[in-house]
Amino acid sequence: MKYNIPRGTFDILPKDSYKWQFVMDSFRKVASRFGYEEITTPIFEVAELFERSSGESSDVVQKEMYRFSDRKERTFALRPEGTAPVVRSYVENHLDVLSSRTKLFYIGPMFRYDRPQAGRYRQFYQYGIEFIGSDNPYYDAEVIAIEMLWLKELGLKNLRLELNSVGCATCAADYEAALREFFRPNLDKLCPDCAKRFDIKPRRLLDCKVPSCKPFRSGAPAQLDYLDAHCKEHFAKVCDTLTAMDIAYTINPSIVRGLDYYTNTAFEVIYDGLGAQNSLAGGGRYNGLIEQIGGKSIPAIGFAGGFERLLIALEQEGIQLGTRPVPDAYLICLGDKARAGIMPYLNALRQKDVYVDYDPDKSSLKALFKAADTSGARFALIVGDSELEAKQVNLKNLQTGEQVSLPLDGGEAVVQVLKS
Ligand code: AMP
């Protein structure tokens, strides 16, 4: 029997895993610089958490969620996104009592039953930021700055930040009424999904992917023209703060975001080289979410980005993402006595943080030197029975061919050479 990986998933093989490590570590570092701390939640939650937060009408809940029942017939879901679990944890662990501001970030796999294609998978890895505790527009700009500064630091160029405001519940009501008026005459020409969305969430009609729906939205009213005074001022301050931070943006009135819980600021980071899946990251303010899932009314803002698309973009621009580790030294051990007696030394080196490769199955000198070369090690450590007896080891620089004899000590002599 031969088994294949499930469709829409992928293995991260050793030849690539150091790149993943590199970008994940680099995200952790940047987030910490802004005072954000890592939170890790389970990969499954009760399905209702997502139904309540994302909205019953959202694509994520309607079509994309991996639901399953456990042995007690409780319905769980593999998390399709990271915000609802983080907020669930925030409420459950009373993090609001500890501080009026909570700065969190997460990294981990998400699951969506989506149609797989380049840059779109059924299991994918997201990084995300959540700021909870203030409506101050500074924080909208701060979370955007984390993403933009990080991508700039990684060296990515062809980026665009697109910004919109989806208003609050009050201004959204006026806007949605205007949208219904706009779409009503063509309702019978829209796709069945749009017909459903028309009543529940008409702004979803603006980002329907069905080609035949697209022409009907040109000239649709923009949310920005329907903001109340507070939302208008909030948005203006976010824009001003970004400008003061020297972060360029364009306003895109059609950003609606897929999930129901967004209020005010909504943004997307676009990388054009990615084809159809050109969104690297997206997020926005979700002032209503915490209350919606059982907490107090506390404002918050966050975003999530995908590592897969980021890695594709970085590779397209030829950006080097760390290096695959190579051994510091390759141990060439000749003779049965040497092979048995060298174990304490091998251990000592590894305990001193020296990466030593050793293959006890190879015994011919030629094969061992070939293996040392292939491994990419800078040095070969050569020990035969007579060296072992004399408590000596030969260290050969594989690039220059230079060789020195060192004492077979607790590893100190080799460490000294490696560091010099
Ligand atoms: P979203 O949670 O839908 O706002 O997505 C945020 C980011 O996650 C996107 O900009 C993508 O980079 C990434 N993303 C979302 N869905 C997928 C997917 N199915 N496969 C790979 N990356 C995804």
Side-chain angles (χ1 to χ4, degrees):
M1 187 68 189
K2 196 169 144 249
Y3 298 102
N4 294 323
I5 194 165
R7 191 162 130 77
T9 68
F10 53 89
D11 298 313
I12 303 175
L13 298 173
K15 71 174 178 53
D16 294 318
S17 60
Y18 72 93
K19 300 177 194 162
W20 286 76
Q21 220 68 57
F22 179 89
V23 282
M24 286 176 171
D25 285 352
S26 129
F27 178 71
R28 285 193 169 94
K29 279 190 202 134
V30 169
S32 330
R33 252 188 266 150
F34 285 79
Y36 288 71
E37 293 177 296
E38 187 157 7
I39 180 166
T40 304
T41 62
I43 61 164
F44 68 99
E45 299 271 354
V46 291
E48 199 189 319
L49 172 69
F50 301 107
E51 287 155 2
R52 278 197 70 99
S53 58
S54 300
E56 299 270 6
S57 74
S58 63
D59 278 356
V60 160
V61 169
Q62 286 276 317
K63 302 180 192 160
E64 297 170 4
M65 213 153 72
Y66 279 92
R67 261 175 243 268
F68 63 96
S69 307
D70 71 358
R71 284 166 189 266
K72 292 202 167 149
E73 297 303 314
R74 287 170 294 212
T75 310
F76 291 100
L78 293 181
R79 60 181 184 195
E81 57 96 30
T83 300
V86 167
V87 169
R88 191 265 312 136
S89 175
Y90 172 86
V91 173
E92 192 172 349
N93 293 295
H94 309 290
L95 298 188
D96 59 319
V97 180
L98 300 177
S99 168
S100 59
R101 302 178 317 162
T102 307
K103 293 179 158 196
L104 303 168
F105 75 87
Y106 60 84
I107 286 178
M110 305 294 158
F111 306 84
R112 291 183 199 169
Y113 190 84
D114 223 335
R115 195 168 53 80
Q117 53 182 279
R120 200 206 277 169
Y121 309 92
R122 289 183 174 163
Q123 175 173 332
F124 55 98
Y125 289 79
Q126 277 190 338
Y127 56 89
I129 288 278
E130 312 293 356
F131 172 85
I132 309 177
S134 168
D135 190 41
N136 194 314
Y138 163 77
Y139 288 110
D140 302 52
E142 179 176 280
V143 302
I144 294 174
I146 298 175
E147 170 76 354
M148 298 312 285
L149 295 189
W150 179 47
L151 298 179
K152 199 171 156 194
E153 230 172 86
L154 284 171
L156 215 52
K157 292 206 177 65
N158 302 313
L159 288 175
R160 255 181 309 126
L161 168 64
E162 295 191 345
L163 210 56
N164 191 21
S165 172
V166 297
C168 64
T170 329
C171 35
D174 283 350
Y175 175 56
E176 292 190 348
L179 270 182
R180 285 198 189 95
E181 283 322 300
F182 175 81
F183 282 112
R184 198 181 307 278
N186 294 313
L187 199 51
D188 53 340
K189 300 180 196 94
L190 300 174
C191 74
D193 277 345
C194 278
K196 266 192 256 158
R197 293 173 186 134
F198 179 83
D199 284 322
I200 317 169
K201 207 73 187 160
R203 67 178 71 213
R204 288 256 162 76
L205 273 65
L206 296 174
D207 73 345
C208 174
K209 304 284 181 290
V210 176
S212 60
C213 286
K214 279 188 186 161
F216 295 107
R217 54 181 181 250
S218 81
Q223 174 75 72
L224 286 177
D225 297 327
Y226 287 79
L227 296 183
D228 64 17
H230 170 80
C231 293
K232 210 178 256 178
E233 194 192 334
H234 190 276
F235 188 59
K237 285 190 175 155
V238 174
C239 294
D240 290 348
T241 314
L242 286 171
T243 306
M245 288 175 163
D246 202 20
I247 295 174
Y249 59 86
T250 52
I251 305 244
N252 178 355
S254 66
I255 296 182
V256 294
R257 304 291 303 142
L259 305 178
D260 271 0
Y261 52 63
Y262 286 103
T263 54
N264 296 102
T265 313
F267 67 94
E268 233 162 294
V269 180
I270 307 289
Y271 183 82
D272 282 321
L274 287 173
Q277 306 304 316
N278 65 358
S279 156
L280 271 188
R285 193 162 262 293
Y286 51 89
N287 288 352
L289 177 64
I290 296 164
E291 195 172 14
Q292 202 175 320
I293 61 177
K296 295 184 198 138
S297 169
I298 302 175
I301 174 150
F303 73 85
F307 280 112
E308 295 78 9
R309 294 182 196 177
L310 175 62
L311 285 166
I312 297 172
L314 289 166
E315 282 198 9
Q316 267 183 24
E317 291 199 10
I319 294 166
Q320 171 89 23
L321 302 170
T323 44
R324 194 172 179 181
V326 292
D328 297 311
Y330 190 96
L331 179 62
I332 293 181
C333 218
L334 301 160
D336 290 341
K337 267 200 212 137
R339 268 194 287 275
I342 204 67
M343 288 301 123
Y345 185 65
L346 181 57
N347 257 359
L349 285 173
R350 287 172 171 166
Q351 280 169 332
K352 287 203 154 16
D353 200 27
V354 181
Y355 171 9
V356 190
D357 196 1
Y358 172 62
D359 180 353
D361 289 324
K362 287 195 175 61
S363 52
S364 97
L365 195 60
K366 199 174 154 212
L368 281 162
F369 266 107
K370 190 159 177 246
D373 265 342
T374 323
S375 78
R378 230 173 11 125
F379 292 96
L381 266 171
I382 310 151
V383 192
D385 292 351
S386 54
E387 279 86 3
L388 188 78
E389 207 151 296
K391 295 205 181 318
Q392 290 288 314
V393 50
N394 293 319
L395 185 72
K396 181 174 182 177
N397 184 323
L398 291 170
Q399 278 140 30
T400 62
E402 205 181 318
Q403 186 164 312
V404 286
S405 176
L406 298 172
L408 192 71
D409 53 7
E412 296 81 3
V414 164
V415 170
Q416 213 166 28
V417 177
L418 288 178
K419 280 195 184 144
S420 63

